[in-house]
Amino acid sequence: MDEEPRVFSSAGATCETCKRPDLSNMTWDDGIKSFFTTFLATPRMWPIGYILDSPYSPLRLERHITTTNWRDAFEDLLALEAGGSMISEESREAENRYAARNRFEIASRSISASNLILQENHKFENQYRKLQKIAMKQENNRIVDIINENLLPFIKSHNESHVATARQTTAHYESHKNSTASSLKPRGQWIASLVDSGALPTWNWQVRNSKDGPVMGFNKRNAPPELHASIMISELELRKIFNEGQPHNFGSPDPLPPTAVKALVDPTYTPSYVELPVDVFKKFRPGKASIMAQSADTEVLKMPDGSTCAKVKITNSLADGTTETKEFVQKPAELLEEIENARKSMQMMLLGLANMSQGGPDPLRQAIEDITGELERLEGQSLDSPDS
């Protein structure tokens, strides 16, 4: 580069020409670490940057000191800093009641689904053993081998997997039965809830789906250009950063490409995420008004008694191209349910597309198709035969 590199000033949010190393010669890990250290520490990124990168972030403290609800304490401090009131106990209790009911319903549905699958597998196993007897009488070793080596082991493995899942679900539910709603929110969703409660009145948020799951976007709203800031980060990245201690890393090869160098001196950071193909999803769930994206704007209202509350406007972008808007005032449980429903819709979308991309039938169905035609040709035999 002919000119000296432009980088963020550690003291503010504007770019400066200085003597810091040329970012284009850094590895991606070093470059992105340098970028986030300065970018997230700028005043315009408060408090999102602090939450994401500070060693004293409530998302870090909660992993080391579990006896304190750091999330709720931090939210109260932000609400007071914004000139509002601390979050009321009534509001938190309403959220907690909904979250407890939702956790129970999710666990119950999961265990019931596993039980139904086990029952169906038992029917399949009996059916295959009947087929096995027919094939043995016909001395059809190929069919016998398919049943013994593929179908029956697959059913056994399938059963063991669902029994393990049911036990894990039960253990997870028991261990979190008394947890607060805020402590169980995914990290990006919890940061967004700070906007919804009025603790971050100058920010708004949106969530979109990607192949890696929900991607959160946070924007300073109504800010002049010199104070504007935004960032996008996925729940998967947040899990890696806080659970595994991985550095911010968006997968670019070394060295930093020119486009990345340009991004490192921009007051916003928007990495690339692979969005889900809407047309494919419509084929998977035709006619479903599934939520592809959700956004929120919050207005802090002054109440007659001098306290404050938040009016949250939720906008859902649906798979059919339409949008719907809902408003919530002092309805924390209903608001949480609306947000949870959007995330469930996105999760269903991911699961559906994952099933569609398997590239062929599952082993059980493939084995069934392999033997069906041949069994039909077995001379004079059927599943209803007295000899079977």
Side-chain angles (χ1 to χ4, degrees), residues 9 20 25 38 56 62 91 103 129 140 143 177 181 193 208 213 233 280 308-309 330 338 370 383:
S9 164
R20 292 183 63 179
N25 294 325
T38 52
Y56 302 106
E62 69 183 6
S91 176
R103 287 197 300 275
R129 293 196 184 279
N140 191 326
I143 300 300
K177 188 162 54 176
S193 72
R208 304 190 69 84
I233 193 163
V280 174
T308 58
C309 72
Q330 292 186 316
E338 181 68 24
D370 286 345
L383 294 178

Side-chain angles (χ1 to χ4, degrees), residues 93-109 173 176-181 184 332-338 340-341 344:
E93 280 304 314
E95 267 200 344
N96 291 340
R97 285 192 297 272
Y98 166 76
R101 184 175 70 252
N102 191 44
R103 287 197 300 275
F104 177 78
E105 291 174 353
I106 291 173
S108 297
R109 284 197 300 269
Y173 171 75
H176 293 88
K177 188 162 54 176
N178 298 318
S179 298
T180 62
L184 294 179
E334 290 86 344
L335 174 59
L336 178 57
E337 183 176 11
E338 181 68 24
E340 292 282 358
N341 286 341
K344 289 174 186 174

Side-chain angles (χ1 to χ4, degrees), residues 337-381:
E337 183 176 11
E338 181 68 24
I339 293 169
E340 292 282 358
N341 286 341
R343 290 194 166 233
K344 289 174 186 174
S345 176
M346 294 179 186
Q347 185 180 38
M348 287 292 294
M349 193 185 312
L350 283 175
L351 290 173
L353 292 175
N355 291 335
M356 292 174 64
S357 64
Q358 292 299 314
D362 60 62
L364 180 60
R365 185 168 297 279
Q366 183 65 60
I368 293 172
E369 292 175 356
D370 286 345
I371 67 173
T372 297
E374 193 159 346
L375 284 171
E376 289 176 349
R377 292 191 295 272
L378 290 176
E379 298 176 358
Q381 295 289 344

Side-chain angles (χ1 to χ4, degrees), residues 35-333:
F35 160 62
F36 269 100
T37 298
T38 52
F39 174 61
L40 295 177
T42 56
R44 69 173 68 191
M45 282 302 297
W46 170 263
I48 304 290
Y50 182 91
I51 294 170
L52 294 178
D53 208 47
S54 171
Y56 302 106
S57 163
L59 298 182
R60 294 193 189 280
L61 292 175
E62 69 183 6
R63 294 190 57 78
H64 303 289
I65 307 174
T66 59
T67 54
T68 299
N69 190 326
W70 297 102
R71 295 188 182 193
D72 286 356
F74 191 71
E75 183 177 21
D76 283 338
L77 289 175
L78 291 177
L80 292 174
E81 181 188 55
S85 312
M86 291 195 300
I87 311 305
S88 69
E89 289 298 323
E90 292 80 8
S91 176
R92 289 206 167 111
E93 280 304 314
E95 267 200 344
N96 291 340
R97 285 192 297 272
Y98 166 76
R101 184 175 70 252
N102 191 44
R103 287 197 300 275
F104 177 78
E105 291 174 353
I106 291 173
S108 297
R109 284 197 300 269
S110 176
I111 293 172
S112 296
S114 292
N115 286 334
L116 287 174
I117 290 171
L118 292 174
Q119 293 172 18
E120 288 299 311
N121 282 352
H122 181 67
K123 294 177 184 178
F124 278 128
E125 183 177 359
N126 289 338
Q127 192 84 333
Y128 298 147
R129 293 196 184 279
K130 290 182 180 180
L131 294 175
Q132 185 184 49
K133 289 173 65 177
I134 295 174
M136 290 175 68
K137 288 181 179 180
Q138 295 293 323
E139 296 183 352
N140 191 326
N141 293 331
R142 175 176 175 272
I143 300 300
V144 173
D145 289 344
I146 288 176
I147 293 173
N148 287 337
E149 297 175 9
N150 193 325
L151 291 176
L152 294 179
F154 181 84
I155 287 181
K156 180 182 178 183
S157 173
H158 206 222
N159 287 344
E160 291 173 349
S161 173
H162 280 281
V163 168
T165 298
R167 288 174 177 168
Q168 184 179 22
T169 299
T170 301
H172 185 270
Y173 171 75
E174 290 296 331
S175 65
H176 293 88
K177 188 162 54 176
N178 298 318
S179 298
T180 62
S182 62
S183 66
L184 294 179
K185 291 176 183 176
R187 293 176 179 88
Q189 182 183 344
W190 173 72
I191 298 173
S193 72
L194 301 177
V195 177
D196 300 336
S197 69
L200 297 185
T202 61
W203 291 82
N204 59 24
W205 62 263
Q206 66 168 313
V207 57
R208 304 190 69 84
N209 218 351
S210 78
K211 68 179 183 64
D212 292 327
V215 176
M216 300 298 306
F218 298 96
N219 271 291
K220 270 284 185 67
R221 62 187 184 94
N222 302 325
E226 67 273 12
L227 295 179
H228 175 69
S230 68
I231 190 169
M232 293 182 69
I233 193 163
S234 71
E235 294 286 7
L236 177 62
E237 289 163 344
L238 289 170
R239 285 199 300 272
K240 289 181 176 180
I241 291 167
F242 290 100
N243 283 1
E244 304 167 21
Q246 294 186 9
H248 299 279
N249 188 338
F250 295 97
S252 174
D254 299 332
L256 283 173
T259 53
V261 175
K262 183 178 184 300
L264 296 184
V265 298
D266 197 291
T268 66
Y269 185 71
T270 308
S272 297
Y273 295 97
V274 179
E275 292 195 12
L276 299 179
V278 179
D279 54 338
V280 174
F281 181 64
K282 286 180 180 178
K283 293 178 182 178
F284 172 67
R285 298 184 73 194
K288 297 288 185 181
S290 300
I291 299 174
M292 301 291 295
Q294 187 178 67
S295 61
D297 271 300
T298 302
E299 178 185 357
V300 178
L301 306 177
K302 200 80 170 179
M303 305 301 287
D305 63 0
S307 63
T308 58
C309 72
K311 180 172 78 172
V312 184
K313 177 183 176 183
I314 293 286
T315 302
N316 295 323
S317 301
L318 308 180
D320 60 5
T322 63
T323 61
E324 62 179 13
T325 301
K326 302 178 181 180
E327 289 189 351
F328 300 86
V329 180
Q330 292 186 316
K331 294 181 178 179

